[in-house]
Amino acid sequence: MATTLQLSTEEKRLLAGAEGPGIQRAMEIVVTLGRIYGAPDLIPVSHVQIAGVSYKNLGDAGVRFLHNWAQEGARVRVPTTLNPAGMELQRWQEMGFAADFAEPQLAAVAAFAQMGVQTTMSCTPYLFPDFAPRRGQHLAWAESSAVVWANSVVGAYTNREGGPSALAAAIAGRTARYGLHQPENRRATHVIEIRCPVRSIADFGALSYIVGKRVGDGVPYFADLADWLPPLPADITQGGEAGDRLKTLGAGLAAYGAVALYHIAGYTPEARELGEALLLPHAQRVVIDSLHPAYAIMDADPDMREIDLVTIGCPHASLSEIQRIAQRLQGQRVRTRLWITTARITRQRAAEAGWVQMIQEAGGEVVADTCAVVAPMRSLGIRRMATNAGKMACYAPMHSGVGMRFGDLDQCVEAALQGRWPTNARP
Ligand code: F3S
């Protein structure tokens, strides 16, 4: 029998427009989604992350939509943060962005700010000391890489929201209880066994390609991946080697498949608590004995040697990644553009430690608020890119029409220093 969505008296009042058209419109979206997906009721959310913020994605129609919703009096009721925009908000002129891109982009950010959204401009809210989610919290996050982190690494509950549905949840303060908000939907559809080394961030990206393609929107259960992971740091907002690997894994699983949750035996919270009870009875077994097929596809232009931009930080770089790159560059000078993309708050923390200055002295840039997928790269003259991030290797050729080299961090740093992709063999 179909479930009927039950609304509280307060929810019915908001839906009827008792507090104005802004929240009424938000309730209509949340309730419609709840009815489509057979949700029994609505649940309060403790944090919302909005994606689709770049003017490149929004276009003029999107900017108008945001402006109109803000004018209707819509205001967020829960802490809400924003994904990267198409440019650095303060330094766009010196970085070469055109005014006809920057002005509508700033108008979109202003509309979000008017609604009470915090203009953090990052895809890694889980690395912010003020917003890192906790086990069991219900969230409404729209950034696919962050959704995977929240569900898998933290054991919080969020569906993969769209831009408008996340904003609606923020304004309504609620989302519909369906999908990954219900424990019965969090069981694993596939068991992944790994028979090859998975040593670097790039290797975790390559793994995400193979598993993402294989499981689609399923829930993978990694039986032995913990063997390739050090413990997570006590302060997860630092990133750390494990955090940086998992950040890449989740982003790639969401990009190459549509994964919103995975489990790692003995490592992630639900797998630690429930073990193999998480497996669905028909869970398929997938054995991975080599990452080379993934490298062969992700390193999409193997004959391309000249590089215009090396970009690290997809999802946005953590403190530990910035530190690693700063130390690697010390006393040297890059010959291509080098972007370490990160959150403004993380750049500030890295600057306090002196790492931003070390990267700048080597000629690199620590770029905040944006990334090489959501920024208009071709209008900045970028045609040939290199990265160690799986999601970037997937999206940048598609969204920015660039050639792509994909390899580990050492290869990327070498490419920046030499201005050419190094000739050494793949890891
Ligand atoms: Fe973040 Fe941009 Fe990658 S939004 S996940 S750095 S494509």
Side-chain angles (χ1 to χ4, degrees), residues 83-84 122-124 126 143-146 247 251 313-317 341 370-374 389 391-392 395-396:
N83 239 32
S122 174
C123 47
T124 55
Y126 48 86
E143 165 51 40
S144 64
S145 61
K247 186 160 69 70
C314 171
H316 270 171
T341 50
T370 189
C371 78
V373 167
V374 296
K391 178 175 175 179
M392 182 64 65
Y395 279 12

Side-chain angles (χ1 to χ4, degrees), residues 113-175:
Q114 193 182 344
M115 289 188 261
V117 177
Q118 305 199 37
T119 55
T120 46
M121 321 314 301
S122 174
C123 47
T124 55
Y126 48 86
L127 296 181
F128 296 177
D130 291 345
F131 297 113
R134 290 192 306 278
R135 171 92 178 97
Q137 281 183 327
H138 290 275
L139 316 167
W141 282 14
E143 165 51 40
S144 64
S145 61
V147 165
V148 189
W149 178 286
N151 280 318
S152 314
V153 180
V154 178
Y157 303 131
T158 176
N159 286 319
R160 188 166 152 158
E161 299 284 349
S165 73
L167 183 52
I171 294 164
R174 306 157 160 80
T175 192

Side-chain angles (χ1 to χ4, degrees), residues 10-29 68-75 77 168 171-172:
E10 168 69 358
E11 287 161 352
K12 286 180 188 159
R13 217 176 60 79
L14 297 174
L15 185 61
E19 292 196 16
I23 188 163
Q24 183 180 25
R25 187 200 290 251
M27 285 295 291
E28 284 167 358
I29 294 172
N68 291 344
W69 211 352
Q71 288 305 106
E72 283 177 355
R75 298 294 180 269
R77 296 188 159 211
I171 294 164

